[in-house]
Amino acid sequence: MKRLFSLTAILVSAIFVNFLADAANAQSGTNVAVIDIPMVFKGHALFKRQMEDFKVEVEAAEKSIGAERDRITKMIQELSQQYKPGSPDYKVKEEEVARQQSELQVKMTLQKKDFMEKEARIYFNVYDQVKRTVAAFAERNNIALVLRYNSTEIEAENRQSVLEGINRPVIYQNRIDITQDVLAMLNNGVRPPGDTQTARPQNGLIPR
């Protein structure tokens, strides 16, 4: 009987020690998680929608630039066909062609700069939203550190892929990937283009 009591006491003591250890870890904030940022961008419904709109805008601008380029090309052809080189009319038309070519080049340069800035703003705004969402999720789940993680397989025959793989900050993780949970928070109420269902958490870590 004494032996049974002794074993029970030891078991209770061990459980209590484990409980204290877990509590200490929780209070010290040593929990760590990883997130696959490329996968987040790939699955981010609002980001995909914004990039699709951006692509449409770029294609429309390229079409407009192409039409202007074709018009100038036609002017150059007419210049050589309808005017005698060296004549006053030829010089006037030649100057006009040169002026329009210069204006088109400036327009293309400024437009390219504008598009690069717009694309940068899209990426920045989405990444900022991702960071804030990760922070909120981490605080709710007592996670002290979230590391960038890449789940893409390294291609052995691809030098760039191998070098990137070697430099990855996370070599191994086991069930601490919060990518899908964060995506579910980001996509809450936002349907991806062509999708009829909103993303839902897969790891079940989002607090209710």
Side-chain angles (χ1 to χ4, degrees), residues 125-192:
N125 290 337
V126 170
Y127 186 64
D128 184 62
Q129 182 195 25
V130 170
K131 286 199 303 180
R132 286 185 283 108
T133 303
V134 169
F137 181 85
E139 289 176 3
R140 293 177 187 177
N141 290 276
N142 193 37
I143 298 171
L145 178 65
V146 179
L147 299 174
R148 184 187 180 97
Y149 168 67
N150 193 331
S151 60
T152 305
E153 292 292 333
I154 300 175
E155 301 175 17
E157 305 301 325
N158 186 323
R159 180 177 179 276
Q160 186 64 29
S161 176
V162 172
L163 292 177
E164 290 176 355
I166 292 173
N167 290 315
R168 289 178 182 177
V170 176
I171 298 175
Y172 172 79
Q173 67 87 17
N174 184 20
R175 293 183 297 178
I176 59 171
D177 186 355
I178 63 173
T179 301
Q180 294 303 322
D181 300 281
V182 171
L183 264 177
M185 294 176 67
L186 290 167
N187 291 337
N188 184 25
V190 181
R191 291 182 177 178

Side-chain angles (χ1 to χ4, degrees), residues 55 58 60 66 68-69 107 114 174 176 192-194 204:
K55 182 180 178 181
V58 170
E68 290 191 42
R69 187 183 290 111
K107 181 179 179 179
D114 181 57
N174 184 20
I176 59 171

Side-chain angles (χ1 to χ4, degrees), residues 9 21 27-28 39 62-63 80 86 95 97 111-112 115 161 166 170 182 184 186 188 190-192 194 198 201 207:
Q27 291 178 0
S28 62
M39 184 176 291
E62 290 177 344
K63 184 176 180 180
S80 60
E95 290 176 359
V97 168
Q111 202 166 63
K112 181 179 180 181
F115 282 139
S161 176
I166 292 173
V170 176
V182 171
L186 290 167
N188 184 25
V190 181
R191 291 182 177 178
T198 304

Side-chain angles (χ1 to χ4, degrees), residues 7-119:
L7 289 174
T8 303
I10 292 173
L11 179 60
V12 171
S13 177
I15 293 174
F16 184 69
V17 170
N18 287 335
F19 172 78
L20 290 179
D22 291 339
N25 285 336
Q27 291 178 0
S28 62
T30 55
N31 292 337
V32 178
V34 298
I35 185 168
D36 190 332
I37 293 298
M39 184 176 291
V40 169
F41 272 84
K42 186 177 180 180
H44 195 303
L46 183 59
F47 172 71
K48 290 194 291 186
R49 185 172 299 169
Q50 289 177 337
M51 290 304 295
E52 286 185 3
D53 293 341
F54 177 72
K55 182 180 178 181
V56 170
E57 187 178 356
V58 170
E59 289 175 348
E62 290 177 344
K63 184 176 180 180
S64 176
I65 291 294
E68 290 191 42
R69 187 183 290 111
D70 292 342
R71 181 179 57 80
I72 293 175
T73 299
K74 185 177 180 181
M75 289 178 63
I76 295 173
Q77 293 174 347
E78 291 175 350
L79 179 65
S80 60
Q81 294 173 358
Q82 300 178 10
Y83 299 92
K84 182 179 180 180
S87 66
D89 289 340
Y90 183 91
K91 290 182 179 180
V92 170
K93 291 295 181 181
E94 188 178 36
E95 290 176 359
E96 177 65 18
V97 168
R99 182 183 65 79
Q100 293 198 26
Q101 283 180 320
S102 178
E103 290 178 354
L104 180 60
Q105 186 61 44
V106 171
K107 181 179 179 179
M108 290 171 59
T109 300
L110 293 177
Q111 202 166 63
K112 181 179 180 181
K113 180 175 179 291
D114 181 57
F115 282 139
M116 291 177 67
E117 290 175 351
K118 284 184 177 180
E119 185 179 31

